Amino acid sequence: MSAPTGRRRAIAKALTALLPLAPYADMEKIRADAGAVHMKTLPPTIAVWLATIAHVRHAHTDYEKLLAEGYDRDSARFFVIEQTNEVLTRWRATRLLEEEDEGE
């Protein structure tokens, strides 16, 4: 079931504010993930941020490869912070990932 219209608009607005230059295909995936049922209790800006980090990590970094090589999630996440931030910087994100954000 899709998110109510007001929430969809808030997610779209938060996404545009956070990632002004993200490619359309990435934006659509992040938008869908931010609108997922398990994100519905979160404010739209937080849902968008969490969906963004998860998408970038899985689609644009070596995260999956590190997991396949036997690294645990926390270690793999630590090792891809720089790659994640490079993608966010290319997309002119208004926020970057910091080590202390890794609990997210």
Side-chain angles (χ1 to χ4, degrees):
M1 186 163 168
S2 65
T5 305
R7 180 155 176 89
R8 279 199 308 267
R9 268 198 299 270
I11 287 170
K13 185 177 176 183
L15 190 52
T16 302
L18 177 65
L19 304 170
L21 295 182
Y24 180 78
D26 292 291
M27 294 272 276
E28 286 305 298
K29 175 73 171 110
I30 294 165
R31 182 188 332 273
D33 291 349
V37 173
H38 69 279
M39 297 278 215
K40 73 179 180 182
T41 60
L42 298 172
T45 53
I46 293 173
V48 165
W49 173 248
L50 294 177
T52 297
I53 294 309
H55 173 71
V56 170
R57 184 182 287 140
H58 288 278
H60 296 281
T61 73
D62 293 331
Y63 181 71
E64 297 284 344
K65 188 175 98 176
L66 291 169
L67 292 178
E69 290 174 1
Y71 286 90
D72 63 67
R73 273 183 25 186
D74 290 339
S75 297
R77 287 176 176 187
F78 173 79
F79 287 121
V80 300
I81 290 173
E82 192 173 314
Q83 283 180 302
T84 301
N85 283 334
E86 286 170 7
V87 172
L88 293 173
T89 298
R90 275 199 312 274
W91 294 353
R92 299 293 185 259
T94 55
R95 178 180 177 186
L96 295 179
L97 186 62
E98 297 176 22
E99 279 185 50
E100 52 272 13
D101 293 333
E102 273 311 295
E104 296 180 355

